Amino acid sequence: PFPADAAIRVIDLGAGTGSLAEKILQRWLGAAVICVDNSAEMVEIGRARLSDYGERVTWLLADLEDPGWLDGVPTPLDAVVSTCAIHLTTDETKRRLYRWAYEALAPGGCFINADRLKAASPALDALYHELWMEYIVRNTKAALGKDVPLETVRQRQRSMDEAAGLKCVTLEQNLAWLREAGFPVVECFWKEWQRAVFGGYKTSNVKRQTSNVMKASASCISP
């Protein structure tokens, strides 16, 4: 909810190599972003990738599961964002991050999370997962002209999920925890199968969005 020339302060939780942070820096020319990730390799790659943005970007090597790192983050912030990271944390950590986000935000600030979810039932979860696998097969054919067997995609995704240690919860549970944290307005802005962009505003008077940050978040979790 910020104009393009706003000097906003943003933190990106689980920033990886800085995909979402870069979109924010390009969209808001006065933005400063703190990028947080627990992988030294990701931080190194991200620093090199976003080096042209100079002091507008700060990198912090920290584990979201460790509550101690939150104490060193300068507040208040205008936005707390995350892409494909919070679903890898425990439920206790999710709730702690949501509470911290609400407390850290300035009035009128927002929390936006693009993440993977668990469906409302095991049957829907299986259906959504299979639709996603079929989508990857079609997209690979369209983008690269390659025919990848569906079973190969299934096996690769299964291996990635096991390695990641998914701890997904439903959209409804995430929104409930955001309300519990204090957000007066929570919403799902975009959803496709097991992936969604959702969040909350630290105000009940939500102005018209002037950016594509939520669309950008969605693009970061699509193939």
Side-chain angles (χ1 to χ4, degrees):
F2 311 110
D5 59 350
I8 58 174
R9 301 172 304 281
V10 183
I11 190 166
D12 185 356
L13 305 178
T17 60
S19 299
L20 181 57
E22 186 171 29
K23 289 178 170 63
I24 293 171
L25 292 163
Q26 291 172 345
R27 178 63 181 80
W28 286 276
L29 300 183
V33 182
I34 302 171
C35 294
V36 183
D37 204 273
N38 69 346
S39 166
E41 181 181 8
M42 291 286 191
V43 170
E44 182 180 357
I45 295 171
R47 279 189 175 131
R49 173 179 181 169
L50 303 183
S51 60
D52 289 346
Y53 294 96
E55 295 182 355
R56 294 177 62 198
V57 187
T58 303
W59 285 89
L60 179 60
L61 180 64
D63 188 346
L64 298 183
E65 296 282 10
D66 177 12
W69 75 269
L70 298 170
D71 299 336
V73 178
T75 60
L77 300 161
D78 296 297
V80 178
V81 300
S82 185
T83 307
C84 292
I86 294 178
H87 77 282
L88 299 174
T89 66
T90 63
D91 292 355
E92 179 184 356
T93 296
K94 293 181 182 73
R95 296 173 75 178
R96 180 173 63 247
L97 290 173
Y98 293 170
R99 290 193 300 268
W100 175 83
Y102 180 78
E103 294 169 359
L105 286 169
C110 62
F111 168 79
I112 305 293
N113 184 21
D115 217 349
R116 185 166 169 178
L117 307 169
K118 180 169 68 175
S121 75
L124 279 176
D125 218 38
L127 172 62
Y128 291 166
H129 183 77
E130 187 64 11
L131 289 170
W132 184 251
M133 298 300 95
E134 293 171 0
Y135 175 81
I136 291 175
V137 170
R138 292 196 306 272
N139 247 38
T140 302
K141 175 68 173 178
L144 304 177
K146 293 183 178 180
D147 290 308
V148 180
L150 181 59
E151 185 56 33
T152 299
V153 175
R154 288 193 189 112
Q155 291 177 0
R156 183 180 63 181
Q157 189 67 52
R158 190 180 303 118
S159 176
M160 291 170 59
D161 289 350
E162 290 174 355
L166 304 182
K167 301 176 182 66
C168 305
V169 297
T170 64
L171 173 62
E172 289 75 11
Q173 184 64 77
N174 277 293
L175 297 182
W177 284 338
L178 287 172
R179 294 188 186 96
E180 175 187 86
F183 287 95
V185 176
V186 300
E187 182 61 281
C188 175
F189 307 105
W190 173 91
K191 184 177 185 295
E192 188 168 31
W193 307 321
Q194 292 171 316
R195 288 153 176 81
V197 180
F198 61 92
Y201 295 90
K202 196 173 181 177
T203 178
S204 58
N205 181 26
V206 181
K207 297 180 180 180
R208 179 180 177 181
Q209 294 293 324
T210 57
S211 76
N212 291 321
V213 66
M214 289 177 290
K215 183 178 179 182
S217 301
S219 73
C220 287
I221 61 175
S222 298

